[in-house]
Amino acid sequence: MSVLLVAGCSSDGGTSVPPEVSPSPSVAVPRTQAALKPATDCTRSTERLPTESETDGVQLTVRTDPSRTSLLMKNTGSLSVVVIPDPNFTTRLVAAPHANPKDPASRAALIAVNNSGAKVPDIPPYVPQTQVVTLPPKWALCALTDNVKESASVRYLQDRQSSAEYFVTKALADQLLTANSSARTQPTLVRCAKSTLGVLKTHPEMSDIELYVEILSPRSACRTGYKALLRGDANATEQLEATVIGRLGGAPRLLANSRLYSVTTRP
């Protein structure tokens, strides 16, 4: 016989009230967290870590992902840095295209710096050149480990010659690319990056503005290159030089190289 829990009449003529039914206690089902996997890039590196600023002119914004196997480092300072992996090479350096400048002048300037043949002092000779990355202002890179037990870690130093090369080539690229293609402009920018290295080596005592004037002087291979792009037009050449020198006069002050510093995602 089925029993219906409904209101009815009691034996004493009163109204019966069905017994109160307590709700079943909720049972907490433990959630099984998916095992963390090593990051394959830095697109999900959104967790902000303390800003790195161990030396003058350097400010590096650092982010990671929940696994701590990625390190997205963006140069938000005023001078270039050179980045290499950690001493044990548990971390490798890869590009971070989503976090880098997209304008042609910035890209052309960095390509010129990377093709100047510069040898960065204080970088251990055993570090492969593919893992020595120049990071000018506004540029970023991605560092990855392949093991969740290893936190991403890199080393960096502030590099004077990389800063000077980038300032010169970026100021020139901003002007030259308005009337020339990247393909035509790139050899001249590489030549100017090499000229910058030469002047730094032969005139280490020069002030920043003297250095820039010497790089753009009639004796410089750099000037020969951009004058050819301007088809030998003397007025256009002088106007470009005045604009570039004006830009470089307001560039951040070049500083001596720093020592190597370490950055890690480890808490």
Side-chain angles (χ1 to χ4, degrees):
M1 182 176 69
S2 61
V3 178
L4 300 178
L5 297 177
V6 292
C9 294
S10 65
S11 58
D12 58 2
T15 303
S16 65
V17 179
E20 182 178 348
V21 179
S22 300
S24 300
S26 60
V27 178
V29 179
R31 292 184 177 181
T32 303
Q33 187 176 16
L36 291 175
K37 295 182 180 179
T40 56
D41 56 37
C42 284
T43 56
R44 297 186 179 181
S45 302
T46 57
E47 181 182 337
R48 185 82 175 259
L49 297 176
T51 300
E52 177 69 19
S53 55
E54 293 289 347
T55 187
D56 290 344
V58 172
Q59 179 174 289
L60 302 170
T61 301
V62 186
R63 299 179 188 273
T64 189
D65 71 295
S67 72
R68 300 272 171 165
T69 60
S70 71
L71 185 156
L72 178 63
M73 176 184 285
K74 190 175 183 71
N75 186 349
T76 50
S78 59
L79 298 173
S80 296
V81 297
V82 174
V83 186
I84 60 175
D86 62 292
N88 297 322
F89 284 86
T90 59
T91 301
R92 55 191 168 87
L93 308 182
V94 299
H98 70 286
N100 282 327
K102 304 297 189 292
D103 64 288
S106 294
R107 295 172 63 85
L110 183 56
I111 290 172
V113 173
N114 287 338
N115 286 275
S116 68
K119 300 295 182 184
V120 182
D122 302 321
I123 297 297
Y126 56 79
V127 180
Q129 283 302 304
T130 57
Q131 292 293 284
V132 179
V133 178
T134 300
L135 204 63
K138 299 183 180 179
W139 284 85
L141 63 74
C142 178
L144 301 170
T145 67
D146 296 320
N147 187 339
V148 292
K149 295 181 180 180
E150 299 283 355
S151 299
S153 178
V154 300
R155 293 173 288 172
Y156 76 90
L157 59 81
Q158 183 275 121
D159 179 49
R160 183 172 185 253
Q161 63 184 19
S162 297
S163 293
E165 285 181 283
Y166 189 75
F167 293 156
V168 169
T169 54
K170 175 64 164 59
L172 285 167
D174 283 336
Q175 302 303 312
L176 293 172
L177 287 175
T178 60
N180 297 276
S181 67
S182 294
R184 290 193 68 231
T185 305
Q186 200 66 66
T188 292
L189 296 179
V190 172
R191 179 181 291 187
C192 291
K194 291 181 176 180
S195 294
T196 302
L197 293 177
V199 175
L200 281 170
K201 183 177 181 179
T202 56
H203 301 286
E205 76 290 345
M206 278 187 171
S207 67
D208 291 0
I209 195 62
E210 290 174 329
L211 175 77
Y212 298 136
V213 169
E214 181 65 21
I215 293 166
L216 303 180
S217 72
R219 299 178 297 276
S220 170
C222 175
R223 189 177 193 271
T224 302
Y226 62 72
K227 187 176 181 180
L229 286 177
L230 298 172
R231 298 171 179 80
D233 187 325
N235 290 333
T237 300
E238 290 179 6
Q239 184 176 354
L240 178 141
E241 290 169 348
T243 302
V244 170
I245 287 295
R247 283 273 305 275
L248 292 172
R253 184 167 65 91
L254 299 174
L255 301 175
N257 286 13
S258 72
R259 68 176 181 85
L260 276 171
Y261 295 94
S262 295
V263 184
T264 181
T265 60
R266 189 176 299 112

